[in-house]
Each structure stands twice: as structure tokens, then as C-alpha cells.
Amino acid sequence: MTVQEGIMPTIDAASDLDMKLEVVVIPVSDVDRAKSFYTGLGWRLDADVSGSDGFRVVQVTPPGSPCSVIFGSRITSAQPGSAQGLHLIVSDIELAHAALASRGAEMSGVFHDAGGVFHRRGTENRLPGPHPSRASYGSFASFSDPDGNGWIFQEVTNRLPGRIDAKGAAYVSSADLASALRRAAAAHGEHENRTGGKHDENWPDWYSQYMIAEQSGSELPT
């Protein structure tokens, strides 16, 4: 944005700006060890750049994530392992848990909070297994990198209102889209049962309405 001479942007104009979180910096003690760990999880290696005086920047990106992770040498004064509560949103908590465990990550079990809302610090109030009704935002699993930086998987299938523009939906990978299609198919099967069990010729329209409503947090069709 440029400011013309004598013209200042208004608060309303500033509120229209997109502010996209695209990088999170985490502190590590051994850059090569961290690089091996994260790429071993299947995260994409975007950059590994060295400079003078031991300066080094490594950037990796989790599959399907618009936000990347940076670590290295001489890039943060935070203590290695002090980054906690870094959330990775997944559409199937049990599938994500199995995938990372198979790649060598030491996973916690899948858990939910006794209060049924959001997890608490450490292992306080954790109950084993996914949320009893598999409520969106309610199921978790955790793991740490070799320095102890803590990551949390959170299962999200139905977004809260306002999270995504109601005019559209965003799927960041084929696996994410496939999971959404499976949920829509299950819901549509219930819809057909309620309407006499006949095949719905307009199922593509119903699927699209369901998937957009699910992503935007709108009322789901029945």
C-alpha cells in the first residue's frame, strides 16, 4: 500500500488488509538433527541457507500447510524446546496419528479434554480417545521434536462461523478433499434415508452445499 502525499489511510481501509501467518520460528539446539526430524515426518524442505558467522536458516512446511516453520542458528534468542502448543489441523485425527507414528514420531495417544472444549496445559484433564461425539475441534494428539518443541494435532471437520468465507471452501490437499467428500457422502446417505430412500439425482448440488457449509461454519443441510 502506498500513501499519497497528504492522504492517510483510514481505519476502515486498514481493516480490509489481509494479514496471513506464513512462518513460525522455533528454537532448536542442533539444526541438522531438527532438519532430519522434520523432513523425516514428510515435511517439505523449502530452504537451507547459510551465511557468515554461523548464521543458518532452514525452512520446512507441513503437508498441505500455508504456514511454514523456520529454525536455524542465530535466528532467535528463545531457548531450544520452548515453543509449545503449535497446532496442526487435520481432518482425521486417527489417520494423522498413525501416519506420524509410522514415520518415527513419539506420539501421545489420541485424547480429548474432560471439559469437552479445548485441551489444557501438559496432560491436565486429558481423557483417552477422541471426543465422544467426534465434535469438531475436540480431538487431539501430541508429539515433540528432539528439543522438546511441542506440537498438537487437532481434528477439525466443521469450521466455526466466520473462519472461512461463506462464498467458498478451501481444501489444501487431495487427502483433505477426500475426507470432506466422505463426510458429505455419509451425511447425504442419511438425507436419502430421511427422504424415502430414493436415489437423489441432485446429489452433486447437495454435496457442494454441505461441503461449503461445513467449511464456513454455516448451518448444514439435512
Side-chain angles (χ1 to χ4, degrees):
M1 173 183 291
T2 59
V3 179
Q4 296 181 9
E5 185 176 356
I7 301 177
M8 296 298 293
T10 64
I11 293 177
D12 287 341
S15 67
D16 290 334
L17 289 172
D18 286 340
M19 299 182 185
K20 300 176 181 178
L21 179 63
E22 295 195 359
V23 172
V24 172
V25 177
I26 61 173
V28 303
S29 60
D30 186 321
V31 180
D32 287 322
R33 182 178 66 173
K35 177 182 175 181
S36 177
F37 174 78
Y38 285 110
T39 56
L41 297 183
W43 295 18
R44 185 183 71 234
L45 177 63
D46 300 321
D48 185 348
V49 182
S50 298
S52 60
D53 302 323
F55 179 74
R56 183 179 176 189
V57 178
V58 176
Q59 178 174 305
V60 295
T61 303
S65 175
C67 183
S68 298
V69 177
I70 281 180
F71 52 86
S73 301
R74 304 176 71 86
I75 63 171
T76 177
S77 59
Q79 290 297 310
S82 61
Q84 299 296 318
L86 301 163
H87 279 60
L88 297 166
I89 304 305
V90 297
S91 58
D92 187 321
I93 192 73
E94 292 171 324
L95 181 63
H97 182 281
L100 255 67
S102 71
R103 289 180 173 269
E106 295 184 8
M107 303 294 303
S108 73
V110 175
F111 65 90
H112 64 282
D113 184 73
V117 182
F118 190 72
H119 66 84
R120 308 188 189 196
R121 61 186 179 183
T123 58
E124 182 182 341
N125 249 35
R126 286 188 183 184
L127 293 178
H131 189 279
S133 64
R134 212 57 181 261
S136 190
Y137 296 94
S139 301
F140 308 91
S142 63
F143 69 95
S144 297
D145 72 7
D147 281 293
N149 294 303
W151 294 88
I152 298 282
F153 276 143
Q154 182 179 24
E155 184 179 76
V156 176
T157 52
N158 186 9
R159 295 282 181 179
L160 292 172
R163 180 63 178 82
I164 292 178
D165 192 329
K167 297 178 182 178
Y171 299 99
V172 297
S173 68
S174 59
D176 192 26
L177 177 57
S179 293
L181 285 166
R182 283 192 288 268
R183 293 192 299 273
H188 187 259
E190 296 175 1
H191 164 75
E192 287 184 325
N193 289 336
R194 285 191 295 268
T195 56
K198 295 181 180 180
H199 175 64
D200 179 11
E201 296 290 345
N202 295 319
W203 67 266
D205 298 319
W206 199 96
Y207 270 44
S208 64
Q209 291 170 10
Y210 184 95
M211 293 167 69
I212 289 177
E214 186 183 62
Q215 281 277 10
S216 64
S218 304
E219 184 177 353
L220 296 174
T222 57

